[in-house]
Amino acid sequence: MTKLSIITVNYNDLKGLKKTIESVHAQSLQRFDHIIIDGGSTDGSEDYIKAQQNTFSYWISESDRGVYHAMNKGIEQASGEYVLFLNAGDHFLNSDVLENAIKHLKGESIIYFDLQVVEERNIFIKKYPKKLSFSYFVDDTLPHPATFIKKTAFAKAGTYKEDFKIVSDWKFFIDVICKFQLTYKYVPEVLTTFYIGGMSSDPKNWSLKEAEKQGVLNEEYTLFYQDVEETVLMKRVLNSLKKSRIINALVRFKLLNKF
């Protein structure tokens, strides 16, 4: 049967770490390695990890250079055919999802599921497309808590770029799919729950996030980006208009044709 490595990265999030580890322990399927990479937390996380250490295949608590350095350290220790990142705070949807999901791990390099997203009191299901394209990645990415990555994909495309602060996982996915054209599969089932509130979703970091993305697109995908830039811009404008209360009111009262 397919061997899986689950990697959990944590830094000073004891509450989230407990939630994640309890979710992993509750799985009906227990045929996996669980790797804990802690960034030298000072909130009691290390003591909690030590108390649970017999349930992990590997753990370490030491200073690192950021989340992507920690994720790369986890990859180094992973022995599974597939890797899943379930970082502190995120958790499986229920106790049976892993047992059901592992049936879909049949050789593709990237196998991604839907994601339940929690934003304060708002809960919704983020669905992903069956077909991936360059234009999709210009505007979006895949969910690392709901994406199984074949370990050989890192050998081909490289591990996470550690000098990026926010979009290194996005860069990995766009490289794997668009540059190296590795195989992928979409499974329309919810695998995990993700809580908005990290670096990438913090409005204070949006300008840095956009700058990192633009750097990759302009330097490594120049010709592709030029071809789709206008289309993506128009799509963003239309999406903004669709969310406008004024526009929707005009449509409702038949003062404007639906677009």
Side-chain angles (χ1 to χ4, degrees), residues 10-255:
N10 174 67
Y11 180 64
N12 282 339
D13 185 9
L14 176 58
K15 182 179 179 180
L17 180 64
K18 288 181 177 180
K19 183 190 299 182
T20 301
I21 290 176
E22 288 169 1
S23 170
V24 173
H25 287 175
Q27 289 302 298
S28 57
L29 175 83
Q30 288 291 313
R31 192 173 57 254
F32 53 77
D33 295 333
H34 193 190
I35 297 165
I36 308 293
I37 307 295
D38 181 72
S41 295
T42 57
D43 67 341
S45 291
E46 184 175 357
D47 290 336
Y48 175 72
I49 294 168
K50 286 180 179 178
Q52 303 281 334
Q53 62 183 328
N54 291 336
T55 65
F56 309 133
S57 58
Y58 176 87
W59 73 273
I60 193 169
S61 180
E62 64 179 13
S63 298
D64 53 48
R65 298 190 295 272
V67 63
Y68 295 119
H69 180 214
M71 291 168 74
N72 284 341
K73 290 198 294 185
I75 294 168
E76 289 178 5
Q77 299 299 326
S79 60
E81 181 183 359
Y82 283 91
V83 168
L84 177 71
F85 287 98
L86 195 66
N87 291 340
D90 304 330
H91 58 83
F92 288 112
L93 184 68
N94 56 52
S95 61
D96 296 322
V97 291
L98 193 57
E99 185 170 7
N100 294 328
I102 206 163
K103 300 172 186 176
H104 297 283
L105 308 188
K106 296 182 178 180
E108 292 85 359
S109 294
I110 302 292
I111 302 172
Y112 56 103
F113 290 66
D114 291 330
L115 187 70
Q116 179 173 264
V117 180
V118 179
E119 184 177 16
E120 295 181 348
R121 296 182 179 180
N122 184 31
I123 301 176
F124 61 94
I125 303 300
K126 176 70 183 292
K127 292 185 173 294
Y128 294 86
K130 182 177 181 180
K131 184 177 181 180
L132 299 175
S133 64
F134 176 77
S135 59
Y136 169 78
F137 282 107
V138 171
D139 226 22
D140 210 335
T141 189
L142 296 179
H144 75 250
T147 300
F148 294 91
I149 304 170
K150 205 169 189 180
K151 195 177 179 186
T152 54
F154 293 108
K156 293 178 181 178
T159 53
Y160 296 108
K161 188 175 171 64
E162 294 178 8
D163 54 345
F164 277 170
K165 299 296 183 184
I166 298 176
V167 303
S168 194
D169 49 342
W170 165 83
K171 183 185 186 307
F172 172 79
F173 285 131
I174 193 174
D175 286 349
V176 162
I177 301 301
C178 300
K179 183 182 293 185
F180 295 96
Q181 299 183 351
L182 301 187
T183 56
Y184 64 87
K185 179 172 67 177
Y186 166 57
V187 180
E189 300 172 6
V190 178
L191 180 73
T192 45
T193 300
F194 171 78
Y195 292 80
I196 289 180
M199 284 185 62
S200 61
S201 56
D202 189 334
K204 293 183 295 185
N205 295 321
W206 285 353
S207 59
L208 174 60
K209 179 180 179 180
E210 191 63 22
E212 289 183 346
K213 286 184 66 173
Q214 290 298 318
V216 173
L217 294 172
N218 289 325
E219 294 172 16
E220 301 186 33
Y221 293 94
T222 306
L223 296 178
F224 293 101
Y225 187 44
Q226 289 175 348
D227 286 344
V228 303
E229 192 171 14
E230 290 185 6
T231 302
V232 170
L233 179 60
M234 183 59 68
K235 180 181 176 182
R236 289 176 179 174
V237 171
L238 288 174
N239 285 337
S240 296
L241 289 174
K242 288 177 180 178
K243 295 177 182 178
S244 168
R245 293 181 179 178
I246 295 175
I247 295 296
N248 286 323
L250 291 174
V251 171
R252 188 166 59 252
F253 292 110
K254 300 182 179 180
L255 297 176

